[in-house]
Amino acid sequence: MINTQSMASVVVTLLLLGNAGSATLLWAQTSRPGRLDREVRDALRTGLHVRFHQADGQSDERVTRLAALYVDPLAAPTPFLQETAFTATLTGYFKMRLQGEHEVSFRGQGAARLFVNGQEVMAIPPGDLSAAPPATVAFVKGYNQLRIEYTSPSDPHVASQLRMYWRGDEFPWEPLPPTELFYDSREESLQGATRLREGRLLVAENHCFRCHQEPATLPSVESLADTGMPELAQHAPSLENAGLRFRRDWLVSWILDPRALHNRSTMPRLLSNDLEARQQAADIASYLLATGTTQADLAGGDRALGEQLFEDRGCIACHRFTPPAAKDDFDRVSLHFVAAKYSTASLAAFLQDPRQHFAWSRMPRIPLKENECQALAAFIHARSAGELPPVAIAGDPAKGSELFVTIGCANCHQFNSNIKPQPRIAAWTSQSLTQGCLGHHHDRAPEFPFTDAQLTAMRAFLATDLASFGRVSPAEFAERQWRVMSCRACHGRDDEEANLPYVLLEEGTQGIAPEPVPDLTWAGEKLQPAWTKRLFAGELPYRPRPHFKIRMPALPARGALLAVGLSHEHGFAVDENPQPAFQAELAQVGDQVAAMQGGLACHRCHAIGDQQATAPFEARSTNLSYATERLRYEFYHRWLRDPLRIDRNTKMIQFAQDGQRTALDTFYDGDARKQFESVWHYLLRLNQRQRARP
Amino acid sequence: MIRIAYLLLFTAGIFAGIFAGIFAGIFSARQVCGQTVRPDDPGAPDNRNFARETDGRWNEMQIGPFIASVLETPTTTVAKCLSMQLDDAASAFAAYDTKTGSFRAAWTGAFVKFGTQKFGITSAPQMAGPVFHACSGPAWGDARVHYHGLYQHGHRLVLSYAVDDARVLEAPSCDASASPVALLRTFSISPHKSELRLLACDSVTALRMVERQPQRTIGAVAKWGAQPLSITVRWGDDNAILPASEETYLELRFPPADETLTFTLSVQPGNAGVLPPADAAERIRKLTEPGEPLWNETLRTAGTRGEQDGPFQIDTLTLPFDNPYKALLFVGGHDFFANGDIAVCTLHGDVWSIRGVDDELRDLQWRRFATGLHQPLGLKIVDDKVHVLGRDQITRLHDRNNDGEADYYENVNNDGATSTGGHDFAACLETDADGNFYYIRAHEGVVKVSADGTTHESLAVGFRNPIGLGVGPDGMITASPQEGNWTPASAIFEVKRGGYYGFGGPRITPHRPLGYDPPICWLPRIQDNSSGGKVWVTSDRWGPLQGSLLHLSYGQCAMMLTTVEHVRGVAQGGTVRFPFYFESGVMRGRFSPRDGQLYVSGMLGWQTSAAKDGCLQRVRYTGAPVHLPIALQVRPHGIELTFTNKLDPDSAADPDNYDVQWWNYRYSEDYGSKDFRVSEPKRFGRDEVYVEEATLLSDGRTVYLELEDMQPVMQMQIVFSITAADGTPIKHTIYNTINAVPAEE
């Protein structure tokens, strides 16, 4: 056992009298390990800093939320490295609430060394990391320096995998909680690597290759889109049937200055704002709108219902009605000009399928009934107060058609298959990185709403060989989606609380929803990727929590890789879910353990198939018939043993109060693990039968 | 003299609606009663045994000859209803409103059917047979009615009331030899000074008086729905009864009398009518005497003694779950007789007596002492008589012939309103030093009933779904609500007269700026998701903990020591868990007069980690050293924690052995509350509180934690892992509340 406390000096002071309280002061102790200067503490962020190195001297860095890694066989550990062996050094702090001894261990493949507070605790030779015996570590209270040196397997056909676990007197083996892992965000090299990733994403998402040729060293973007960075596959929204969807005044204003109407638009300004530009915008608008006439406003639409749905379905978490330029604590998308853009009919149609014209839209498709779409459209229209100046000048569709090509619209947007976009211009050079789109003087180049930091990031990335476009890291992709798709609007994770409760508190009319949207801190460990793929694809034939008013949107364009990435982020292979084979006898016992009579009464809060929970009160939860296709086996056990340790807001009952035994002593003498195991087999049987149903 | 008057009370249209409802009610009741149970066919793709996913065991239980409940009759919903079988063979049944002394319905077939969801406790039972007669009006007009109680004689009952100055006894029965079976109601009315009126029948149409023989017999026929109905009254004294009737009702008037009047009233479907027997006086006399016991069997169980580590052993008084009556044993309360015997009440209506409660618990003898009570959740023994709290009343149980079964169920007080809602439980019967009773329920709050049962007072309100309170030896009342809307977390309140504890929305006054009176402490869900009752340690056998307040967690089957201090007149404190758990959701605790040990009881019912229907367990303190914090005092710049025993100085004075966090809750109509930072009141989360220093004070068992920025907070969490002077590890978490920080001295 390594006592890391010994590194700190301890000063014991004998005091005679004090004002501490009613009794006389006897002992006091000062000077403690685990403390960090305020400057350091302020710079800490949750996660660990990972430095990757390869034999050819290449290196990369990033942040990982957990003490975990997973890289598929023959894959590169990061997009900026080769598909070869690597070492990864995870550093940071593990924060402890109290000093004390705990055991630590690893799972995965490769070699690992663990250092806590500068002292080596474990050194595991290459191979199966779980084969190494656990080590006991005396953690200090506060911040314990953590350093994990990991070496990938020498066999490239073996996945590189690392997961660090710990356990204590009161809890069994579990991954180190990401809420207690911290890294120093001031590390310049890490900031540089983060900048590269930011630039890489910006180049991909802003469709730079629509106008620019790839460097000669890079394959075509079309070919990379299938195997490389997924965002390269993004297309700008199709303008098909624009005439049926958009109002003319709005379209003219949009062409002139998209950011003025939509605070998160990535569309560049292509025209200036002078009189000639307005005429050109009117021409383009006339051209686009010649395809039809905007649908008329709906006759009905229940605004009151719409207002309720705006909260219930969670729209309020991502949208606001204040002008685009107005400050918003939650960085939501302004709907100020939606009424200027859409009729209620076209808005309702958009809500029915937001991705009809833009598969990669950040606006997710939320399952809504037709009347709900109409009600929402009516409400949003009524609240959308943005007015645009009427465009008095007539547009010339013929000129618009020409302009659509010449100013570059056709390079990004689909509209008419007969249109041929402008030829792409030459790839950028190191000299051109401060010019054109990336310069401060745009001349004839599109004017993107890039910040200085974004420009710096793009320039840094474009100075690389761009080979990273050809590689995909599911874990990094998943992490990007957390931000890009505003998952936090509804979900909490690690130390980040979901926005939705805040928004509802401040702006809602109905208070915080009683049903908490699941926290995603453990999502990658908890959920089976095969299930999350179906969830994200919108292919689940049921809603996991049908009692929730809010709806989990489908993310079909991103879902498959996101599901993989979530799993990898937690150090799990996609299909990793070891568990014992189904045993019918255990299922029989589990049926009784879970039963209402003489059991743990799981059905009290959980539905089974189409049978509703019998007495859920305010704790209605997921359907047991789907549990085993949704949850990983080991997580199921971890959850059953101590749900409040995983989610302190859960209403799930902790049946094993001491972690060992339940109050149900009629099965396995109250042994909680055995009882929960039997229930797992019962759940497997429920799932088999649910799947067999027509 | 017989005077007949006809009064028109209802229109025929209303009656049509009522009777449509009657039959619709009966049929819908059957549909509700019938469960959609899938066959358990192992070969089928879906063979889940949903029969086990509901719980209809109450329907299999021998509930006894009567049951108190809410009951929906064809004409009205009766909040304080007493349903009974009318003869030994259960040929027919009747329901009475005990609050008004009014007959409500009579039916044949089967007795009552209980719901199968939530153990049947949140839905009223239903009459399980065709109703042939029902009334809805008050039986005694404008007279003051007070229900005294019921006499039980075997399967037969006599109801006892005061009606103005008269004592009225009514023995409901039936004539099963008649066809169809007839309802018989035999009355005895004591001498009285003012005229009394008894509504013999209402909710009928086309009522008309008819001739009946012999003398002193009157008759009437009417229609109940489409069915003819005959009403016959027979008495023994001239001019004692004056019928008054209209098309829709028949009323009997009793002029002032100097002698006891007895009579019997029969009601029978059809036009013929049954002549009531002439032995009314004898019937009443006989039936008010105790009869033969119904539950003769003494059930024996062997308890178990705990063998766990530590100073507290958990012994189990094994409940006779497997009993010949199929009686359910969801234990709602318990108390001790002077000799150390125990009485327990169960949620499904019973009271059991237990003998043989000695150290070894090897031979526990159970007798079913009483049945048919209305979901009792509180029991107190006063003067060696069992007092039971039901949703309808406090009942004092008398065993007049000492045969081990109650034969007179005396109503101590039934002034509390019984709502017809499913979640209106009256819970936790306690007394103070003067013998006054206390209990708690959602809509009345903490209720005080005088020792003689004559007064009923709601002391304080604002508790969400409470199921427990405690009355200390000095009269301090503590009570707990359950987390939910307008209750951001479960909590322990010191109850003051006129207090308001939040459930229902803010009631802001100059003296109540929060809109509610603050609790002693809030309880985060991890500590207690559903609170039970409290018990003060009054036993000197519990040396180091004597005088402490114990809090029982229903939801987590756990017990907590609660510290209480008063700063500027406001109570505040915290809870720390004992390291053991019980077999069911514990709600009640009592110290035994025999062994000085704590006995706790509990049950299933709502959200809980419990798996057993009920439990009765003993927490036996062995006298071994206890290492618990027993006092928490807020100081201007920190917290003082006092432990039961001396601490290891090095360990106690190491601030790294303590972790302190704090947060607030948001009082709102939302269900419960998230944690809100104290440092950023609008942000979710908790703040870490820096422990500047830990200091062991001169008594060797008090630690002073100097904390930065002491201030009132709704929730503080103090985790520590230290060592006692004898080397015993002490690892606990305290959840406390700071309502006030004392000023510098």
Side-chain angles (χ1 to χ4, degrees):
Chain A
M1 191 269 289
I2 313 297
N3 189 338
T4 56
Q5 191 177 351
S6 61
M7 62 181 285
S9 63
V10 177
V11 178
V12 179
T13 308
L14 180 65
L15 301 173
L16 296 178
L17 288 169
N19 60 356
S22 55
T24 308
L25 199 64
L26 188 61
W27 292 93
Q29 199 167 31
T30 58
S31 180
R32 308 170 217 170
R35 302 293 183 219
L36 297 176
D37 292 341
R38 173 137 208 141
E39 188 182 353
V40 180
R41 289 207 312 270
D42 288 347
L44 294 183
R45 302 289 181 270
T46 53
L48 292 175
H49 180 174
V50 199
R51 294 174 177 85
F52 296 91
H53 293 275
Q54 292 184 316
D56 60 0
Q58 295 295 308
S59 65
D60 189 21
E61 302 175 33
R62 68 173 172 89
V63 173
T64 176
R65 289 179 48 235
L66 301 110
L69 290 174
Y70 184 88
V71 180
D72 272 326
L74 304 174
T78 84
F80 294 92
L81 294 176
Q82 302 290 326
E83 291 81 354
T84 59
F86 64 94
T87 64
T89 305
L90 293 74
T91 57
Y93 299 96
F94 182 42
K95 188 177 181 185
M96 292 289 295
R97 300 286 165 186
L98 291 175
Q99 61 184 351
E101 291 182 359
H102 292 83
E103 284 186 293
V104 296
S105 67
F106 288 91
R107 295 186 199 174
Q109 292 291 330
R113 297 172 72 196
L114 171 66
F115 300 82
V116 177
N117 292 327
Q119 296 194 14
E120 185 173 271
V121 173
M122 295 183 81
I124 308 175
D128 180 359
L129 295 177
S130 63
T136 300
V137 179
F139 289 103
V140 299
K141 174 179 170 140
Y143 296 94
N144 293 268
Q145 290 179 351
L146 200 65
R147 178 184 177 88
I148 305 167
E149 295 178 357
Y150 171 75
T151 304
S152 66
S154 54
D155 182 351
H157 295 91
V158 175
S160 304
Q161 185 176 27
L162 170 79
R163 297 201 301 269
M164 181 175 170
Y165 287 75
W166 74 322
R167 75 173 172 187
D169 296 339
E170 297 162 350
F171 60 95
W173 289 112
E174 66 177 22
L176 299 189
T179 49
E180 308 302 328
L181 295 174
F182 298 91
Y183 71 96
D184 189 337
S185 63
R186 297 171 303 175
E187 293 271 357
E188 285 190 13
S189 56
L190 177 61
Q191 291 175 359
T194 304
R195 210 159 30 238
L196 280 183
R197 284 166 168 77
E198 178 75 7
R200 178 174 178 254
L201 181 62
L202 285 165
V203 171
E205 287 197 327
N206 286 284
H207 317 294
C208 298
F209 295 108
R210 295 282 163 185
C211 296
H212 294 268
Q213 295 173 10
E214 302 88 353
T217 55
L218 200 67
S220 73
V221 167
E222 281 74 15
S223 66
L224 291 177
D226 294 333
T227 57
M229 186 180 188
E231 289 89 339
L232 290 172
Q234 287 189 23
H235 290 268
S238 164
L239 297 176
E240 188 181 8
N241 293 326
L244 299 175
R245 294 186 277 149
F246 307 133
R247 297 187 196 273
R248 181 170 182 270
D249 291 349
W250 175 86
L251 188 54
V252 172
S253 295
W254 175 259
I255 294 167
L256 287 170
D257 189 358
R259 257 300 164 93
L261 305 187
H262 189 300
N263 52 302
R264 297 213 356 215
S265 169
T266 57
M267 172 156 156
R269 284 180 64 178
L270 295 159
L271 301 170
S272 61
N273 203 12
D274 56 20
L275 199 57
E276 182 188 357
R278 290 182 67 77
Q279 181 61 60
Q280 290 175 328
D283 294 341
I284 297 170
S286 296
Y287 167 61
L288 294 173
L289 299 179
T291 53
T293 306
T294 312
Q295 297 175 56
D297 281 334
L298 292 164
D302 184 341
R303 278 187 204 173
L305 173 63
E307 181 173 17
Q308 184 182 329
L309 291 169
F310 196 75
E311 291 183 30
D312 287 348
R313 299 291 183 262
C315 314
I316 196 170
C318 289
H319 293 287
R320 59 186 168 94
F321 291 100
T322 50
K327 183 177 179 299
D328 181 60
D329 290 342
F330 307 105
D331 193 24
R332 291 172 294 175
V333 174
S334 168
L335 299 179
H336 191 63
F337 289 107
V338 165
K341 177 179 182 180
Y342 292 117
S343 69
T344 52
S346 51
L347 179 55
F350 170 76
L351 292 171
Q352 197 83 58
D353 186 4
R355 295 213 173 87
Q356 184 181 1
H357 298 99
F358 185 18
W360 281 76
S361 171
R362 283 176 291 188
M363 170 75 185
R365 182 175 186 275
I366 296 173
L368 292 169
K369 298 173 186 166
E370 186 177 354
N371 74 310
E372 292 179 330
C373 291
Q374 293 173 353
L376 273 168
F379 168 68
I380 293 169
H381 233 255
R383 289 290 307 275
S384 171
E387 292 184 0
L388 296 172
V391 180
I393 50 179
D396 181 340
K399 289 184 179 174
S401 169
E402 191 177 324
L403 284 165
F404 191 77
V405 174
T406 56
I407 68 172
C409 307
N411 284 58
C412 290
H413 294 281
Q414 289 183 337
F415 178 61
N416 183 330
S417 57
N418 296 326
I419 293 176
K420 289 189 177 175
Q422 292 278 75
R424 293 191 295 167
I425 59 179
W428 47 81
T429 64
S430 57
Q431 291 77 25
S432 64
L433 291 181
T434 54
Q435 298 169 4
C437 306
L438 301 183
H440 290 292
H441 303 288
H442 298 280
D443 195 12
R444 291 170 52 197
E447 182 182 341
F448 284 89
F450 297 136
T451 63
D452 286 348
Q454 289 174 323
L455 287 171
T456 303
M458 293 175 74
R459 289 169 189 147
F461 173 70
L462 291 172
T464 71
D465 62 4
L466 308 192
S468 65
F469 273 143
R471 303 188 190 101
V472 60
S473 165
E476 292 195 26
F477 177 77
E479 190 56 29
R480 288 200 295 273
Q481 302 318 301
W482 169 259
R483 190 160 41 97
V484 171
M485 295 305 294
S486 301
C487 303
R488 189 186 173 184
C490 296
H491 296 278
R493 191 187 71 169
D494 301 345
D495 63 342
E496 296 179 276
E497 294 276 0
N499 288 340
L500 181 61
Y502 285 110
V503 175
L504 291 174
L505 265 183
E506 292 189 9
E507 299 176 10
T509 59
Q510 303 167 67
I512 298 179
E515 59 264 13
V517 180
D519 185 277
L520 298 185
T521 298
W522 300 106
E525 176 202 357
K526 168 184 175 179
L527 301 172
Q528 295 185 39
W531 183 86
T532 46
K533 274 184 190 174
R534 295 169 67 204
L535 173 74
F536 295 148
E539 293 173 354
L540 280 181
Y542 57 88
R543 291 177 56 212
R545 291 177 172 82
H547 51 287
F548 274 25
K549 293 177 181 173
I550 200 165
R551 301 280 191 269
M552 172 67 196
L555 313 166
R558 307 163 193 262
L561 191 57
L562 175 57
V564 175
L566 282 174
S567 184
H568 286 190
E569 187 177 35
H570 287 253
F572 281 85
V574 169
D575 56 356
E576 185 174 350
N577 187 23
Q579 59 183 296
F582 171 73
Q583 294 182 47
E585 314 84 69
L586 274 182
Q588 292 287 348
V589 178
D591 189 352
Q592 298 171 57
V593 170
M596 285 294 294
Q597 291 181 32
L600 299 177
C602 305
H603 192 25
R604 197 160 48 196
C605 299
H606 293 273
I608 297 177
D610 54 4
Q611 297 289 315
Q612 293 300 307
T614 60
F617 296 97
E618 294 84 6
R620 192 181 296 277
S621 192
T622 49
N623 194 315
L624 293 182
S625 292
Y626 305 113
T628 55
E629 67 182 35
R630 192 172 66 92
L631 301 175
R632 278 196 168 102
Y633 168 79
E634 276 302 333
F635 184 87
Y636 157 85
H637 271 293
R638 195 154 84 78
W639 173 255
L640 264 285
R641 187 187 188 280
D642 193 349
L644 284 159
R645 183 169 175 82
I646 294 171
D647 179 1
R648 69 181 175 216
N649 291 314
T650 184
K651 295 185 179 70
M652 169 79 180
I653 293 168
Q654 184 180 359
F655 288 108
Q657 289 284 340
D658 62 356
Q660 306 298 321
R661 305 174 65 78
T662 70
L664 185 66
D665 58 7
T666 44
F667 298 95
Y668 306 117
D669 198 25
D671 186 306
R673 173 81 190 196
K674 289 180 179 173
Q675 289 182 0
F676 299 157
E677 178 68 20
S678 71
V679 172
W680 176 261
H681 289 263
Y682 163 62
L683 297 178
L684 284 169
R685 196 181 69 183
L686 283 183
N687 187 247
Q688 289 165 1
R689 290 179 175 151
Q690 187 68 26
R691 286 165 173 247
R693 300 184 77 185
Chain B
M1 183 185 74
I2 295 177
R3 189 173 56 142
I4 301 175
Y6 293 92
L7 300 171
L8 184 64
L9 292 180
F10 302 107
T11 66
I14 291 174
F15 273 97
I18 289 173
F19 287 105
I22 290 169
F23 296 110
I26 291 169
F27 289 118
S28 66
R30 285 176 176 169
Q31 287 170 344
V32 169
C33 293
Q35 294 303 301
T36 307
V37 179
R38 291 164 185 253
D40 192 3
D41 172 12
D46 188 348
N47 73 341
R48 285 158 292 171
N49 186 351
F50 286 103
R52 267 222 308 277
E53 301 305 345
T54 56
D55 196 320
R57 287 179 292 161
W58 203 352
N59 289 312
E60 299 168 15
M61 174 174 161
Q62 293 180 36
I63 60 172
F66 62 91
I67 182 80
S69 71
V70 173
L71 190 76
E72 192 166 342
T73 74
T75 53
T76 187
T77 299
V78 189
K80 294 179 192 289
C81 189
L82 186 72
S83 302
M84 65 198 74
Q85 65 182 69
L86 295 176
D87 63 0
D88 289 357
S91 308
F93 312 91
Y96 281 77
D97 180 348
T98 55
K99 185 64 182 173
T100 62
S102 304
F103 166 82
R104 282 293 169 253
W107 68 97
T108 56
F111 191 12
V112 290
K113 182 83 172 173
F114 299 99
T116 58
Q117 299 289 326
K118 304 175 188 174
F119 314 109
I121 62 174
T122 55
S123 59
Q126 297 167 333
M127 294 175 285
V131 178
F132 63 89
H133 179 38
C135 289
S136 61
W140 300 96
D142 297 332
R144 295 186 312 278
V145 177
H146 175 69
Y147 175 55
H148 286 313
L150 69 86
Y151 295 92
Q152 184 184 352
H153 180 93
H155 289 95
R156 298 286 307 283
L157 307 182
V158 175
L159 309 180
S160 173
Y161 300 95
V163 180
D164 283 345
D165 61 337
R167 184 188 181 210
V168 176
L169 298 171
E170 179 181 353
S173 62
C174 67
D175 183 348
S177 64
S179 180
V181 65
L183 166 70
L184 301 177
R185 301 174 61 190
T186 301
F187 288 86
S188 163
I189 301 177
S190 73
H192 51 279
K193 295 189 172 113
S194 56
E195 183 184 73
L196 301 178
R197 298 179 173 199
L198 170 64
L199 186 67
C201 170
D202 71 358
S203 307
V204 293
T205 55
L207 185 139
R208 61 186 170 84
M209 303 304 295
V210 295
E211 289 294 327
R212 293 283 193 229
Q213 292 298 327
Q215 285 190 331
R216 293 187 288 278
T217 300
I218 57 174
V221 292
K223 286 204 167 181
W224 196 74
Q227 169 189 289
L229 197 69
S230 294
I231 305 104
T232 309
V233 185
R234 185 180 187 187
W235 66 99
D237 302 305
D238 288 341
N239 300 330
I241 296 180
L242 310 175
S245 66
E246 252 292 359
E247 286 189 353
T248 58
Y249 74 94
L250 170 66
E251 184 179 87
L252 306 179
R253 296 181 178 178
F254 310 99
D258 296 328
E259 293 186 354
T260 297
L261 166 69
T262 56
F263 64 96
T264 299
L265 179 157
S266 74
V267 181
Q268 185 189 32
N271 288 318
V274 164
L275 181 65
D279 60 347
E282 176 58 19
R283 278 172 175 251
I284 292 286
R285 188 199 62 73
K286 178 186 169 192
L287 294 177
T288 51
E289 295 297 322
E292 293 296 313
L294 297 179
W295 322 105
N296 285 310
E297 209 161 332
T298 297
L299 309 176
R300 292 185 132 85
T301 64
T304 57
R305 284 170 63 87
E307 296 175 352
Q308 49 267 55
D309 294 333
F312 297 100
Q313 299 296 322
I314 306 302
D315 303 332
T316 299
L317 285 73
T318 308
L319 301 180
F321 288 116
D322 183 14
N323 62 74
Y325 319 121
K326 296 189 175 179
L328 299 174
L329 290 161
F330 292 58
V331 184
H334 68 279
D335 200 3
F336 293 91
F337 293 98
N339 65 0
D341 289 351
I342 297 177
V344 302
C345 62
T346 65
L347 181 62
H348 295 87
D350 294 350
V351 172
W352 293 74
S353 64
I354 313 163
R355 292 183 174 174
V357 185
D358 56 18
D359 289 347
E360 299 302 319
L361 306 176
R362 284 180 184 144
D363 183 21
L364 300 170
Q365 301 138 45
W366 298 72
R367 274 290 304 274
R368 202 179 190 190
F369 182 69
T371 62
L373 298 157
H374 192 175
Q375 297 181 3
L377 283 176
L379 185 148
K380 183 74 182 174
I381 294 178
V382 178
D383 297 333
D384 250 17
K385 286 210 178 319
V386 175
H387 293 64
V388 195
L389 173 70
R391 286 173 65 167
D392 52 349
Q393 62 184 37
I394 299 172
T395 303
R396 181 183 292 127
L397 298 172
H398 300 261
D399 177 10
R400 292 171 294 160
N401 61 353
N402 295 314
D403 66 352
E405 285 187 22
D407 44 44
Y408 178 49
Y409 291 60
E410 179 188 2
N411 168 35
V412 176
N413 184 281
N414 67 350
D415 291 340
T418 301
S419 85
T420 56
H423 216 282
D424 172 41
F425 300 98
C428 201
L429 190 61
E430 302 292 337
T431 54
D432 64 14
D434 297 325
N436 298 303
F437 295 95
Y438 298 86
Y439 65 87
I440 191 166
R441 70 196 310 169
H443 68 270
E444 288 185 301
V446 173
V447 173
K448 177 181 180 180
V449 172
S450 59
D452 62 4
T454 57
T455 65
H456 166 279
E457 177 190 10
S458 171
L459 287 183
V461 296
F463 299 95
R464 182 180 182 278
N465 295 344
I467 54 173
L469 54 73
V471 177
D474 62 353
M476 179 179 177
I477 303 170
T478 52
S480 286
Q482 316 295 356
E483 178 197 51
N485 46 330
W486 294 118
T487 306
S490 298
I492 301 172
F493 286 95
E494 179 181 11
V495 178
K496 297 285 183 69
R497 187 187 298 275
Y500 176 65
Y501 302 104
F503 180 54
R507 297 182 186 175
I508 296 173
T509 70
H511 301 292
R512 190 181 287 139
L514 298 173
Y516 61 89
D517 299 328
I520 295 172
C521 60
W522 297 101
L523 297 162
R525 188 179 297 125
I526 197 168
Q527 182 77 336
D528 186 7
N529 61 322
S530 184
S531 299
K534 336 270 173 238
V535 56
W536 292 81
V537 182
T538 52
S539 167
D540 55 11
R541 289 285 300 273
W542 274 45
L545 301 184
Q546 189 170 10
S548 299
L549 172 62
L550 307 176
H551 168 79
L552 298 170
S553 168
Y554 168 82
Q556 306 201 13
C557 308
M559 187 169 86
M560 294 158 214
L561 190 145
T562 307
T563 67
V564 184
E565 65 163 342
H566 286 83
V567 175
R568 295 201 291 274
V570 180
Q572 62 189 20
T575 59
V576 61
R577 273 203 199 188
F578 286 86
F580 46 74
Y581 300 94
F582 302 103
E583 289 187 338
S584 199
V586 287
M587 300 189 294
R588 313 284 173 249
R590 306 265 191 226
F591 280 90
S592 165
R594 191 194 65 78
D595 62 14
Q597 301 290 5
L598 174 65
Y599 290 67
V600 300
S601 65
M603 55 173 232
L604 285 175
W606 312 281
Q607 299 292 345
T608 175
S609 62
K612 289 197 172 175
D613 287 354
C615 74
L616 178 62
Q617 293 184 281
R618 176 169 65 193
V619 185
R620 178 164 43 87
Y621 174 52
T622 64
V626 176
H627 299 290
L628 277 172
I630 52 169
L632 184 156
Q633 291 188 296
V634 176
R635 299 297 181 195
H637 301 291
I639 295 279
E640 272 186 20
L641 292 176
T642 301
F643 291 76
T644 45
N645 285 321
K646 294 204 171 186
L647 305 173
D648 168 62
D650 287 339
S651 151
D654 184 348
D656 285 0
N657 287 331
Y658 304 86
D659 177 61
V660 181
Q661 298 182 32
W662 61 25
W663 62 94
N664 285 319
Y665 298 115
R666 181 172 175 266
Y667 172 58
S668 78
E669 62 186 338
D670 296 338
Y671 185 92
S673 170
K674 286 179 166 288
D675 303 342
F676 287 81
R677 292 180 190 276
V678 176
S679 60
E680 298 176 79
K682 289 189 171 181
R683 285 204 62 79
F684 302 132
R686 304 175 174 187
D687 288 315
E688 293 177 35
V689 183
Y690 186 66
V691 181
E692 310 264 4
E693 282 190 7
T695 308
L696 182 62
L697 303 187
S698 60
D699 63 358
R701 61 191 190 100
T702 300
V703 176
Y704 173 69
L705 301 180
E706 185 174 328
L707 306 175
E708 58 180 358
D709 195 22
M710 283 293 289
Q711 58 185 295
V713 291
M714 295 174 80
Q715 196 75 75
M716 174 182 262
Q717 172 191 278
I718 307 168
V719 184
F720 52 87
S721 178
I722 56 177
T723 309
D726 65 3
T728 306
I730 309 175
K731 194 167 187 178
H732 286 291
T733 301
I734 299 175
Y735 292 96
N736 63 298
T737 294
I738 302 176
N739 292 315
V741 178
E744 300 263 13
E745 291 180 3

